Structure formats: C-alpha cells, structure tokens
Amino acid sequence: MGEVEEVTLSPKTPAKSPFGSRFMVTPLASPRMKKAVASMRGYLEEVGHLTKLDPQDAWLPITESRNGNAFYSAFHTLSSGIGIPSLLLPLSFTALGLAWGIICLSLAFIWQLYTLWLLIQLHESESGTRYSRYLRLSMAAFGEKLGKFLALFPIMYLSGGTCVTLIMIGGGTMKIFYEIVCGGTGVVNPLSTIEWYLVFTGSAILVAQLPNLNSIAGISLIGALTAVSYCTLIWVVSISKHRALPAVSYQPPESKPNAAAATVFSVLNALGIITFAFRGHNLVLEIQGTMPSSTKNPSRLPMWNGVKFAYLIIALCLFPLAIAGYWAYGNSIPSNGGMLNALYKFHSHDTSKFVLGLTSMLVVVNSLSSFQIYAMPVFDNLELRFTSCMNKPCPRWLRSGFRIFFGCFAFFIAVALPFLPSLAGLLGGIAVPITLAYPCFMWILIKKPCKNSAIFHWLLGSLGIVLSISIVTGAIWNIATIGIQVHFFKPE
C-alpha cells in the first residue's frame, strides 16, 4: 500500500494534495462540476471576509434592501445636502462680508467633505461589522452610554426637526403658490396656513408609505433635480432683476451699545447658518448601509463616487446662491426664508407669475422629497423598538401606523412652534459636532492612527467642539438682545 501512495516528483512537477487528486478522478470531476466548483471559489473570494450582518437589519427600512449603488448614493446625498437652509447663506454674508463669507463657506465645505470621507471609511470595520446608522457607530466608538448621550439628540433633531421645518416651508409655499395661481379669482374661503400645513403633511405621509430607503431613490432624484432647479432659478432672477431694486447697502448694521460683543456674536451666528447648510452627515452611514459590500467591491467605493459627484453639484449651487444673493440684496436679505422670501418681497411685481409659480412648485416638491429621506431614520428607530421586543418584522399596517403617527406629530410641532426656523443659528450650532467633530474622534478611537494623524484629528475635532459652543453662545446672545417673535399655535 505504501508503494502505491509513494509518488516521485520531478523538479518541474507541482505537488498536489491527495484530496484534490482523488476528487478529480471521481465522477464528480465532470466539466460541469468543475465549472460549478470554480464559480463557487470565485464567489467566496469575492465575498472575502463575509460581512457580519445583524439579522434584524433585514426587517428595518434602512437596511431592508441592499441593492444600492453610486447613483442612489448621489441622489440621496443631493436630496439631503441641498435644501431650504441653503437659501439662508446670503444672510450669513451680511455679518461676514463678501470676502470672509466666501472664505468661511469654502473652509466649511472642505472640512465637512473631509469628515464625510471619514464616516464613509468607518462604515465597515476590519472585522466585517457594518455600522449602518450614525448612532451605532457613535456607540461603538465612545461606548454605549456616552455614544447615546453625545449623538442621540442631535441626530433626532436633524431628522425630526428638519421634517418639522419642511412642513412649515412646504405648507407655506403651497399657500403662496395657490395665491399666485388663483389670486384674482375671488375665492370666498381660502385655506388657512394651518390647513395648508395639513395638506402638505397628508401628501408627505402618502409618499412615506414606500417601504425602505432604496425604494425612495426615485423620490430623492426628483428632490435633487428640484433643489438644483429652484436654487439656480432664484439666484439667476436675483441677478437679472438687481437693477430694479433701490440702492443696496453692504455695510454692517449700525452698532449699538456693546458693539464689539454684538459684532462677535453676529459673526458666530453667521457661522452657525453656514454649518447648518451642510447638514446630512447623520444620513451618510444609512445611505451606505443600502449597498452590498465585499472584499473586492467594498461599499465605500460606490458611496464615495456618488458623494463626489453630488458635492460637485452642491458646490455649483451653494456658492453662486450665496454670492449672488448677497450681491443682489446686501443687508436687505430677509432673515426669515432668506432668498425665497426675497424673491417674493422684491420681485413679485416685476417677475412673471409663471416664474414665481414654478419656483414655488419646485420648493414644494423638493420639500416633499426631502421629508422622505430625513424621516427614514425616525421610521427605522420606531420599527427597531418593535422588532427588538417582538423578534419579528413589523407588519405592514403597523409600519403605516408609525409613519402616520410621526407625520401627525411633526404637524403638531409645526403648528405649536411656528418660530422654529428663526432658530437656525442656534440649531446649526447644536448640530455642528455631528458634522465636524465626532467623525474625527471616532476615527482616532476606531482606526488608532499614527501619532501625527491622531494629533491632527484631535485638533480638528476639538476645533469643531469649540466652534459648536461658540455658535450656540452667539445664537443665544442674538436671541436675547435682538429677540424673535415667539407665538404659539399661530403660524403666519
């Protein structure tokens, strides 16, 4: 028997495993079976480390479908990255001036794009665990209790608070659109502002019945196209109609007592408006979580490709909007609504109803589309509670019930607190760590980079925290000195 198994190998003969030799001489080694084995081997090599997936993820709306791609990434990022806060950017230039406004806007753009790249790299750990929600990544980096404490409120505000603001903007713009189209028809009982809020909320809830994040990719594409369209339309009209305006002043407002403090806090409030325009970091990991991932094709590659394209478009929208808006209106830019209200206030008499109506309709459609992607983390969190307790997927009727409940709750907040958009600087400051600081700290704690890299990220993250505290302080000072019109249950 020993003589049979002994094989003499020449120097050019490769050694083969006994198992492989015996397998290849069996009937299983037919051409079809060899092809199947090779195909399976290639699949295993492609999957590589076998990404560790939580079975519960298959029941939740964010990770229910994992067939996303770079196009979906671009659509979602554009829809969440351009919106109504962008229309307030010229207002920040009134405190910073044109030169410093462009510098601060550029620095904020580069800074938040870098932290966005950090989050994309952190989405999937070396062990194969995927962090498809910002809160879970925060808990993995800072610990369960500290991670929740640091990230839960800003994330919930950026999701729920943005949806409330969208109801206000969308419902109010619906009312304006109706007045533009049917203003002279002599309607006896026009709808009130609250009723228009209700119309918008009902429409948003209807669209929100789409099951998961991938299923709203088409909605996000519509939101992206409408956002780019109305941003471009507004700044083009502002430039073309500039000569019809009275003399525009670019000088800072007259100083009052405590002039130095007023100037400092106005600048900080302006920085808060700029940082709030770059929201959406709380959705990056969720968007990436909808993509398949393997060793050869990790999810970070299509995600980053989509983000690069999206942010090129975002830059082409935000910078012209901020610069042209400040050049056209100077210090006359309205503090409530920004460029959108400036369009109605200064150009309603010299601009065609078609242009005004088209702009209004684009804003409404964009608000409906943006509502879907910002509400998705809230829907996901509500279903997470159910699936954790019941250990089964959420039935369709209950999923619809959750979404109707959230829409009604957001509508109630919009009616009860109609002054919420006036707090853009304050809320922007609260959201700064999510965008500019936490990704730097999480990179250090998870990736454990070299000393120089760690120092750089510590400094960058610490600067983000200092900036957040300063912006919140400046916003509170402005509210205390200048004041805001606080009126409950009386939307205008």
Side-chain angles (χ1 to χ4, degrees):
M1 189 68 169
E3 295 178 359
V4 174
E5 291 186 348
E6 183 179 353
V7 179
T8 304
L9 298 175
S10 65
K12 294 183 180 181
T13 304
K16 297 181 180 180
S17 70
F19 176 80
S21 301
R22 292 171 185 174
F23 175 78
M24 290 305 174
V25 298
T26 64
L28 294 176
S30 63
R32 182 175 297 178
M33 182 57 66
K34 289 181 179 179
K35 184 177 180 181
V37 171
S39 178
M40 177 61 69
R41 181 183 301 167
Y43 172 77
L44 293 174
E45 290 175 353
E46 182 180 356
V47 172
H49 56 264
L50 295 177
T51 300
K52 298 177 182 178
L53 299 177
D54 186 348
Q56 191 180 10
D57 280 350
W59 299 339
L60 301 177
I62 287 178
T63 49
E64 189 176 60
S65 172
R66 290 188 183 268
N67 61 352
N69 51 48
F71 294 104
Y72 287 13
S73 166
F75 301 160
H76 291 315
T77 304
L78 273 171
S79 183
S80 61
I82 308 178
I84 300 302
S86 307
L87 301 177
L88 296 173
L89 284 175
L91 186 62
S92 65
F93 280 41
T94 60
L96 299 171
L98 182 61
W100 279 107
I102 295 174
I103 292 172
C104 292
L105 183 60
S106 302
L107 291 176
F109 181 83
I110 296 170
W111 189 351
Q112 60 87 34
L113 187 58
Y114 176 69
T115 55
L116 189 62
W117 179 82
L118 293 180
L119 289 175
I120 292 172
Q121 301 302 311
L122 289 171
H123 171 84
E124 195 168 11
S125 67
E126 294 180 358
S127 63
T129 302
R130 296 184 67 175
Y131 302 106
S132 299
R133 291 153 187 87
Y134 195 108
L135 184 60
R136 290 189 182 179
L137 180 62
S138 176
M139 292 166 60
F142 301 120
E144 184 174 354
K145 292 184 178 179
L146 183 60
K148 283 184 178 180
F149 175 78
L150 293 175
L152 185 59
F153 174 74
I155 289 172
M156 287 299 103
Y157 161 70
L158 285 172
S159 296
T162 301
C163 289
V164 171
T165 304
L166 289 171
I167 290 176
M168 296 179 185
I169 299 298
T173 309
M174 272 185 169
K175 181 180 180 181
I176 294 173
F177 175 78
Y178 180 80
E179 292 172 351
I180 291 172
V181 175
C182 308
T185 58
V187 179
V188 179
N189 295 315
L191 296 180
S192 65
T193 302
I194 294 178
E195 289 170 330
W196 281 114
Y197 284 5
L198 188 58
V199 171
F200 179 89
T201 305
S203 303
I205 290 174
L206 184 63
V207 181
Q209 299 309 311
L210 292 171
N212 53 61
L213 190 54
N214 266 340
S215 67
I216 65 169
I219 303 297
S220 292
L221 174 59
I222 295 173
L225 293 175
T226 51
V228 172
S229 300
Y230 77 68
C231 285
T232 304
L233 191 60
I234 288 175
W235 71 258
V236 168
V237 170
S238 300
I239 289 180
S240 63
K241 302 292 183 179
H242 171 70
R243 294 182 179 179
L245 296 176
V248 177
S249 173
Y250 301 101
Q251 296 299 322
E254 292 294 330
S255 297
K256 298 179 180 180
N258 301 323
T263 301
V264 171
F265 288 125
S266 295
V267 168
L268 292 175
N269 190 58
L271 295 177
I273 293 173
I274 290 176
T275 54
F276 189 52
F278 295 114
R279 71 214 190 287
H281 278 51
N282 63 308
L283 297 171
V284 173
L285 296 173
E286 285 79 352
I287 296 171
Q288 192 172 351
T290 65
M291 299 180 177
S293 184
S294 66
T295 303
K296 289 187 176 181
N297 299 293
S299 60
R300 64 178 179 270
L301 297 181
M303 182 66 190
W304 181 238
N305 289 334
V307 165
K308 285 189 293 185
F309 174 78
Y311 269 83
L312 174 62
I313 304 299
I314 290 173
L316 294 176
C317 287
L318 299 193
F319 280 87
L321 185 69
I323 296 170
Y326 179 67
W327 177 81
Y329 305 112
N331 293 334
S332 301
I333 188 79
S335 58
N336 186 17
M339 290 288 285
L340 184 61
N341 281 6
L343 179 68
Y344 300 135
K345 179 179 179 181
F346 297 116
H347 304 300
S348 59
H349 64 285
D350 59 5
T351 304
S352 67
K353 284 188 176 182
F354 173 77
V355 173
L356 295 176
L358 177 61
T359 304
S360 301
M361 181 52 64
L362 290 172
V363 171
V364 170
V365 175
N366 173 257
S367 299
L368 283 171
S369 303
S370 298
F371 185 95
Q372 309 309 317
I373 189 168
Y374 275 99
M376 196 60 70
V378 180
F379 300 155
D380 187 86
N381 192 51
L382 290 173
E383 293 190 29
L384 174 64
R385 305 304 174 198
F386 175 84
T387 55
S388 298
C389 295
M390 306 302 294
N391 195 29
K392 65 178 183 179
C394 193
R396 182 177 298 178
W397 65 267
L398 185 58
R399 170 174 282 186
S400 297
F402 281 147
R403 300 182 182 199
I404 294 171
F405 166 77
F406 172 72
C408 294
F409 179 74
F411 168 76
F412 173 78
I413 298 298
V415 174
L417 307 175
F419 55 88
L420 201 60
S422 301
L423 304 177
L426 175 62
L427 299 175
I430 294 174
V432 164
I434 291 290
T435 304
L436 302 182
Y438 293 165
C440 299
F441 297 142
M442 291 189 289
W443 180 264
I444 297 171
L445 294 172
I446 293 177
K447 291 294 186 179
K448 306 261 189 302
C450 63
K451 182 178 179 181
N452 291 337
S453 177
I455 292 174
F456 169 75
H457 288 96
W458 272 116
L459 292 176
L460 196 62
S462 301
L463 182 59
I465 296 296
V466 171
L467 183 62
S468 174
I469 296 172
S470 302
I471 290 172
V472 171
T473 304
I476 293 174
W477 192 91
N478 275 345
I479 293 172
T481 55
I482 301 175
I484 59 174
Q485 295 182 356
V486 177
H487 42 88
F488 300 95
F489 296 98
K490 292 182 180 180
E492 298 177 353

